[in-house]
């Protein structure tokens, strides 16, 4: 089967001649449908740059990124806009909900743009809200919700169009530990029950331990890879911490 995402020899440079720095330095990997992948690495290692290239927000300097059979590094702006809407779901650290819309409306936006029938939209929103335990806040505005509720609304918005790939950048970064745990359990559910493919960037080992496979990056390069396999999440967390220690030399610096 074709992978959902194929990143091949991607490099991203910043700066001008003489002062060029490589934020992403020859990274290659593949993601299959239904994978839940974590990308870990210390601050400044290139995680966000890599994710922004995959999410079409930024452009690669060299290399190719193929999502669902389409090379996004060769697409024009108009085609990219449509591609982003149809194939990708986004979850950001700071939620990015629209303040003047209720949770229900925020989740429904993409379906409304697709001109789906109201009854169909209602069924879809209510089904995903139930899975993510946000039924009670559907009529609330973002300012009336907790951070954890807002992030689960953002997760519902990301999954509602059944995108090929969900991209999350530090999704637990602004959450307390209880809300983070609930969000990550939601990700697990979307991944297992809806076969959502998730690529999640985080510098946090607890957050990463919910993924099935972790790519560690350092100085823009893949440094190591871990598979959870049959390990419990707790054992996986301990293995992640071992790599984090190796990677940073100083755990506190990384966390
Ligand atoms: N727009 C930019 N212009 C110049 N340098 C950048 C830009 N964005 C990121 N960088 C640099 O690229 C490197 C990787 O940054 P980033 O991808 O944000 O790392 P991370 O998300 O792992 O913390 C850093 O050295 C950062 O300073
Ligand atoms: Mg970052």
């Amino acid at each position: 089967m074709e992978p959902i995402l194929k990143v091949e020899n991607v490099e991203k440079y910043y700066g001008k001649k003489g002062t060029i720095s490589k934020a992403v330095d020859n990274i290659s990997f593949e993601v299959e449908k239904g994978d839940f992948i974590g990308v870990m690495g210390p601050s400044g290692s290139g995680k966000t740059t890599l994710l922004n290239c995959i999410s079409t927000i930024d452009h690669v300097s060299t290399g190719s990124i193929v999502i669902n059979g389409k090379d996004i590094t060769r697409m024009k702006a108009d085609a990219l806009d449509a591609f982003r809407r149809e194939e990708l779901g986004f979850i950001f650290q700071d939620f990015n909900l629209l303040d003047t819309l209720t949770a229900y409306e925020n989740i429904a936006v993409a379906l409304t743009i697709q001109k789906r029938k109201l009854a169909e939209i209602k069924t879809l929103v209510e089904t995903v809200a139930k899975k993510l335990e946000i039924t009670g806040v559907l009529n609330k505005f973002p300012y009336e919700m907790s951070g954890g509720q807002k992030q689960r609304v953002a997760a519902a918005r990301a999954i509602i169009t059944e995108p090929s790939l969900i991209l999350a950048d530090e999704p637990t970064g602004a959450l307390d530990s209880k809300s983070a745990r609930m969000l990550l359990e939601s990700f697990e559910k979307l991944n297992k029950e809806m076969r959502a493919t998730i690529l999640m960037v985080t510098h946090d080992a607890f957050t990463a331990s919910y993924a099935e496979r972790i790519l560690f990056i350092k100085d823009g390069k893949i440094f190591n890879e871990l598979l959870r396999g049959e390990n419990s999440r707790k054992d996986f967390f301990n293995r992640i911490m071992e790599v984090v220690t190796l990677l940073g030399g100083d755990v506190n610096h990384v966390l």
Side-chain angles (χ1 to χ4, degrees), residues 43-44 46-49 93 169-170 201:
S43 177
K47 303 183 296 295
T48 294
T49 305
Q93 177 168 351
D169 194 357
E170 305 279 3
V201 160

Side-chain angles (χ1 to χ4, degrees), residues 195-244:
R195 284 200 75 208
T197 311
I198 305 173
L199 182 69
M200 173 178 76
V201 160
T202 182
H203 69 279
D204 177 60
F206 173 77
T207 299
S209 70
Y210 279 81
E212 295 290 330
R213 174 178 157 215
I214 297 178
L215 304 174
F216 292 87
I217 60 176
K218 186 180 183 181
D219 302 329
K221 294 187 179 68
I222 294 182
F223 164 89
N224 204 336
E225 190 175 332
L226 276 186
L227 284 174
R228 175 150 148 197
E230 299 302 309
N231 280 290
S232 69
R233 200 188 50 73
K234 212 167 169 194
D235 289 341
F236 196 38
F237 172 82
N238 290 329
R239 287 173 59 211
I240 293 166
M241 284 308 291
E242 284 171 22
V243 179
V244 164

Side-chain angles (χ1 to χ4, degrees), residues 105-169:
E105 291 162 344
N106 265 287
I107 298 168
V109 165
L111 300 175
T112 310
I113 292 171
Q114 291 176 356
K115 298 199 168 53
R116 304 269 200 112
K117 293 206 175 70
L118 287 181
E120 186 195 0
I121 294 178
K122 187 163 181 278
T123 309
L124 287 170
V125 172
E126 284 173 358
T127 306
V128 77
K130 202 168 167 195
K131 266 202 202 322
L132 302 188
E133 296 176 48
I134 46 171
T135 304
V137 302
L138 283 178
N139 292 319
K140 291 190 174 176
F141 290 93
Y143 75 89
E144 299 172 299
M145 293 182 243
S146 71
Q149 289 165 340
K150 278 192 267 199
Q151 198 59 307
R152 295 205 303 285
V153 169
R157 179 189 56 183
I159 189 76
I160 199 82
T161 54
E162 296 186 31
S164 305
L165 183 62
I166 292 183
L167 300 164
D169 194 357

Side-chain angles (χ1 to χ4, degrees), residues 56 59 72 74-85:
T56 77
H59 300 285
I72 60 160
R74 291 162 187 277
M75 281 167 107
K76 298 248 160 55
D78 285 358
L80 269 183
D81 287 343
F83 181 84
R84 202 179 296 131
R85 251 193 336 265

Side-chain angles (χ1 to χ4, degrees), residues 17 184 200:
K17 256 194 171 161
L184 292 161
M200 173 178 76

